[in-house]
Amino acid sequence: MPETAPVTSTFRPELPDLPAQAERLIELGVHERAGVAAAELRSFAAAAEVSEGAAGTLLAVHPDRAPASALAPLLRHEGKPGFVVTDMPDVDLFTPLEGLALPDAPLYLITGIDRGDQMADWSPNEALPALGEQGRTPLVLTEGIHWVLQQPAALERNHCFMTIGSRLRKSNGALDARTPAIWISNGTGRDGGERRNAPKVGWCWAGNRHTWLGFASATGRRL
């Protein structure tokens, strides 16, 4: 296992304020997909903005309302739309890990996001317990997508990230070995050349290491 280091990236999140994030989601039509009125989304963001500690906070829609398959095509990188890899048709079945509870509400906030660059070349199996030891919680897939929707620079070639808070549990109760990640397509294989440089929702094996994937995490979630 790699030497444990603080999960602090060289990349610094610079999120828009919460009302601006709400407007971004409305512009993309996420509120309609989630069955949330634009006025409700604006009101939630405005109230959260005036609360203490709102700076640097990400506004998220619960995945039960806006799943990854609906959010991924809204991503953009160099003008290319995002996509889910063809061998992940079950992307929306990847749910939060046991013990990782999302707020029971359509809208919630995520605090202290970090891309986890210093954990590049760790495997998901190695990273998960280390995050817990540091009092951090791994992002679920939809949270990672929300982050890139609001701050596209968070997705950077050779510095992309995994969202290991989401896993698929098989019918026998065991975890599927795939772990979700968001990175930039090279346009090879089944992605197709037309998708080169497009944002890509895919997966990696839980036991494998990748030098270009960190582990996105947060300090917490709240309403």
Side-chain angles (χ1 to χ4, degrees):
M1 180 173 178
E3 182 180 352
T4 300
V7 187
T8 303
S9 303
T10 55
F11 177 80
R12 293 288 177 264
E14 295 181 1
L15 288 162
D17 62 34
L18 292 170
Q21 291 184 43
E23 293 303 324
R24 173 67 172 155
L25 295 180
I26 292 167
E27 173 191 353
L28 294 171
V30 174
H31 67 302
E32 295 175 342
R33 175 63 178 81
V36 176
E40 179 183 354
L41 183 51
R42 290 186 174 114
S43 177
F44 179 88
E49 181 66 21
V50 300
S51 68
E52 184 177 355
T57 298
L58 177 66
L59 172 60
V61 179
H62 198 287
D64 286 351
R65 297 293 194 100
S69 63
L71 296 177
L74 304 177
L75 294 168
R76 292 293 184 276
H77 182 264
E78 296 189 2
K80 300 288 185 70
F83 67 101
V84 179
V85 294
T86 57
D87 56 353
M88 203 177 184
D90 50 1
V91 64
D92 292 336
L93 299 181
F94 282 71
T95 56
L97 281 168
E98 186 176 350
L100 195 162
L102 304 187
D104 186 17
L107 306 171
Y108 65 97
L109 305 172
I110 308 163
T111 57
I113 287 179
D114 189 277
R115 199 168 63 183
D117 292 356
Q118 290 192 11
M119 295 183 104
D121 209 24
W122 290 45
S123 74
N125 286 342
E126 293 165 337
L128 184 61
L131 288 170
E133 289 171 3
Q134 296 174 25
R136 300 189 63 85
T137 178
L139 294 194
V140 301
L141 177 56
T142 52
E143 293 170 347
I145 296 175
H146 274 292
W147 184 14
V148 179
L149 287 175
Q150 299 291 353
Q151 187 182 11
L155 198 65
E156 180 183 1
R157 188 171 289 282
N158 298 321
H159 296 287
C160 299
F161 60 87
M162 303 197 70
T163 54
I164 60 173
S166 294
R167 293 293 294 271
L168 173 65
R169 194 166 293 278
K170 298 188 288 189
S171 58
N172 64 2
L175 288 175
D176 187 281
R178 294 172 294 168
T179 52
I182 307 172
W183 71 92
I184 299 169
S185 175
N186 287 325
T188 56
R190 286 181 287 183
D191 289 0
E194 70 280 3
R195 283 177 165 162
R196 178 172 173 77
N197 293 323
K200 173 178 178 176
V201 172
W203 58 269
C204 300
W205 299 119
N208 286 4
R209 299 175 178 177
H210 298 277
T211 58
W212 44 276
L213 286 174
F215 293 86
S217 65
T219 56
R221 301 171 179 86
R222 62 182 176 86
L223 293 175

